[in-house]
Amino acid sequence: MNLLLTDKTLHEIRTTDVYTCIDLSQMKISSCMGCFGCWIKTPGKCVIRDDAISVYPLIAQADSVIYVTRIVYGSYDIPMKTIHERTIPVQQAFIRIHHNETHHVQRTVLPKKALIIAYGSTDSEEHDTFRALVARNSHNMQFTAYDIIFCSEEQIDTIVAEEIQKRWN
């Protein structure tokens, strides 16, 4: 399955038979409470009943993901950061050694290729911070490979359409 996850509405880019498009800006996704209920009370399932419960399993099961996110202070913007934090149910409380570091054992997260299209910042220091963050996240999200494209907000629709065509068609 191919998944396009965006924190802003994209023009003329909708779910097709080739990929699923999820616009996080149109969903109700609460912040993680840090209660670890998804590890203890309801293993693998978040105790918060909102739109995130339909999104994080798709991220885990995707073979290929394109993330579209604004960069804010070298990080993902709120909608993308919130959904990343809410993916904790796809991990177990147990720790493993991965690339000489400790990481959580994954439940059913498929290895995947990822593209992150980041917009909203032209600052090279912010870009470097964002690159480091994505590298760290790549271990927990089972990225076998990833690319990052930095662009302006005006370029997003064109770049997303080109990348979908190149990667998924």
Side-chain angles (χ1 to χ4, degrees), residues 33-74:
M33 297 184 303
C35 69
F36 300 109
C38 58
W39 286 350
I40 300 163
K41 291 181 184 176
T42 56
K45 295 182 178 142
C46 184
V47 297
I48 302 171
R49 303 332 264 160
D50 63 8
D51 293 334
I53 62 172
S54 66
V55 177
Y56 67 76
L58 295 176
I59 297 170
Q61 293 305 302
D63 300 304
S64 180
V65 171
I66 296 176
Y67 295 99
V68 178
T69 184
R70 177 180 303 279
I71 299 177
V72 178
Y73 303 117

Side-chain angles (χ1 to χ4, degrees), residues 136-169:
R136 305 298 303 141
N137 291 154
S138 72
H139 297 305
N140 285 332
M141 295 310 297
Q142 300 286 82
F143 294 168
T144 57
Y146 67 89
D147 295 308
I148 303 172
I149 296 174
F150 296 101
C151 66
S152 69
E153 191 164 355
E154 296 75 31
Q155 297 172 302
I156 293 171
D157 289 294
T158 302
I159 289 173
V160 170
E162 288 170 357
E163 292 299 324
I164 287 171
Q165 183 67 31
K166 182 168 48 172
R167 294 166 188 270
W168 295 339
N169 288 328

Side-chain angles (χ1 to χ4, degrees), residues 49-110:
R49 303 332 264 160
D50 63 8
D51 293 334
I53 62 172
S54 66
V55 177
Y56 67 76
L58 295 176
I59 297 170
Q61 293 305 302
D63 300 304
S64 180
V65 171
I66 296 176
Y67 295 99
V68 178
T69 184
R70 177 180 303 279
I71 299 177
V72 178
Y73 303 117
S75 183
Y76 310 98
D77 201 358
I78 293 168
M80 193 67 68
K81 185 166 182 0
T82 302
I83 196 63
H84 277 306
E85 290 169 354
R86 290 289 300 282
T87 63
I88 197 168
V90 303
Q91 300 175 20
Q92 297 180 39
F94 308 107
I95 301 296
R96 66 189 169 114
I97 303 297
H98 181 69
H99 295 284
N100 294 319
E101 300 172 344
T102 57
H103 290 273
H104 288 283
V105 173
Q106 305 299 301
R107 284 187 199 280
T108 55
V109 179
L110 294 179

